[in-house]
Amino acid sequence: MSYNLLKGKRGIIFGALDSNSIAWKTAERVHEEGGTFVLTNAPVAMRMGQINELAEKTGSKIIPADATSVEDLENLVKQSVEILGGKLDFVLHSIGMSINVRKGQHYTNQNYEWTQKGTDVSAMSFHKVMQTLYKADAMNEWGSIVALSYMAAQRVFPDYNDMADNKAYLESIARSFGYFFGRDKKVRVNTISQSPTPTTAGSGVKGFDGFISYADKMSPLGNATALDCANYTVTLFSDLTKRVTLQNLYNDGGFSNMGVSTAVMETFMDK
């Protein structure tokens, strides 16, 4: 169901890879709610995914950009404003990558060159995106910037590896830059801490299926889906949340406030 929550609003969506990705679902929902946007991803990611299909479905332009490159981001922002016909109202940062995770390198034995690359892609890129938008004065007042996080930023999930550190850094950047964006430009900056979600990127984490099953048993409402996250993001892009900023917002079926659940306890009790 559409409510026209984003009618007339313009933005950029980073990270749509395929129909399993949260950014893909968000793009579909933003389109349904009347928003227009530019799609972007790194050239290598675009070769792996089906972003052209999403662009055709939503009537969107695609601008390849490496989010770790300030030059690419400056070009992306400039072209997006021109294509969309004005300043931006929303931006979604849905980017994350760990070479250590991908190659099975244990947290206690990191390859630091890989770690640095992962930090640049997963967290520092968010600062670069916002700095580019800020310097270009590319956001309308009461605009909204959202990045996707995970609760491993606050709690230990051993196999999440250095991605946990990246998410903690991402959330800190959101608060720190969000202060200046709010004070100077009246722009909101928030992160969403999403349930473990079966995306192409998430499936690379060791034991991810176990994460999903455990979280689902712990959460009174069960795991939030990619579509749930897309809907939540739409509300943060809309004018209904104009004074929500500097927040890490949990979209996890209640998992983040649970100590233990009956379903989990039953697996440890004698039958």
Side-chain angles (χ1 to χ4, degrees), residues 221-243:
L221 295 180
N223 287 335
T225 66
L227 180 58
D228 291 330
C229 190
N231 285 327
Y232 197 16
T233 303
V234 164
T235 69
L236 291 174
F237 286 166
S238 78
D239 291 335
L240 299 177
T241 52
K242 286 177 70 170
R243 294 266 183 340

Side-chain angles (χ1 to χ4, degrees), residues 151-189:
M151 204 176 67
Q154 288 82 33
R155 301 186 188 180
V156 177
F157 290 80
D159 291 326
Y160 205 58
N161 209 310
D162 57 329
M163 275 304 299
D165 303 330
N166 294 337
K167 292 301 188 185
Y169 188 21
L170 178 85
E171 292 176 15
S172 179
I173 289 169
R175 290 187 295 269
S176 297
F177 215 122
Y179 165 75
F180 296 104
F181 239 136
R183 184 195 69 180
D184 301 337
K185 312 284 189 180
K186 293 292 186 290
V187 170
R188 300 162 277 161
V189 181

Side-chain angles (χ1 to χ4, degrees), residues 228-269:
D228 291 330
C229 190
N231 285 327
Y232 197 16
T233 303
V234 164
T235 69
L236 291 174
F237 286 166
S238 78
D239 291 335
L240 299 177
T241 52
K242 286 177 70 170
R243 294 266 183 340
V244 179
T245 194
L246 312 185
Q247 302 300 310
N248 179 52
L249 300 160
Y250 292 97
N251 186 50
D252 62 4
F255 179 89
S256 49
N257 273 325
M258 291 298 295
V260 73
S261 69
T262 304
V264 169
M265 282 298 295
E266 286 175 348
T267 65
F268 295 99
M269 295 169 66

Side-chain angles (χ1 to χ4, degrees), residues 6-42:
L6 303 180
K7 187 176 181 180
K9 293 191 181 295
R10 303 176 286 255
I12 301 174
I13 294 178
F14 287 79
L17 182 66
D18 55 38
S19 59
N20 293 319
S21 66
I22 293 172
W24 184 294
K25 299 293 187 189
T26 302
E28 290 179 330
R29 286 294 295 118
V30 169
H31 175 66
E32 289 167 2
E33 292 295 339
T36 56
F37 49 84
V38 164
L39 294 165
T40 186
N41 212 329

Side-chain angles (χ1 to χ4, degrees), residues 75-144:
N75 176 64
L76 169 66
V77 170
K78 182 175 182 293
Q79 283 198 48
S80 296
V81 170
E82 291 173 357
I83 290 168
L84 297 170
K87 289 186 179 184
L88 309 175
D89 300 290
F90 60 86
V91 174
L92 175 66
H93 180 283
S94 181
I95 306 171
M97 184 275 293
S98 167
I99 303 174
N100 284 304
V101 169
R102 190 187 303 159
K103 293 184 177 290
Q105 197 79 7
H106 197 269
Y107 185 78
T108 60
N109 187 37
Q110 290 186 39
N111 178 315
Y112 290 119
E113 289 185 6
W114 295 351
T115 304
Q116 189 170 21
K117 178 64 175 176
T119 300
D120 199 16
V121 171
S122 305
M124 184 62 75
S125 66
F126 191 40
H127 192 286
K128 291 177 180 178
V129 167
M130 287 198 285
Q131 181 168 289
T132 302
L133 292 164
Y134 181 91
K135 285 185 173 182
D137 194 26
M139 297 290 296
N140 279 318
E141 284 196 354
W142 305 111
S144 176

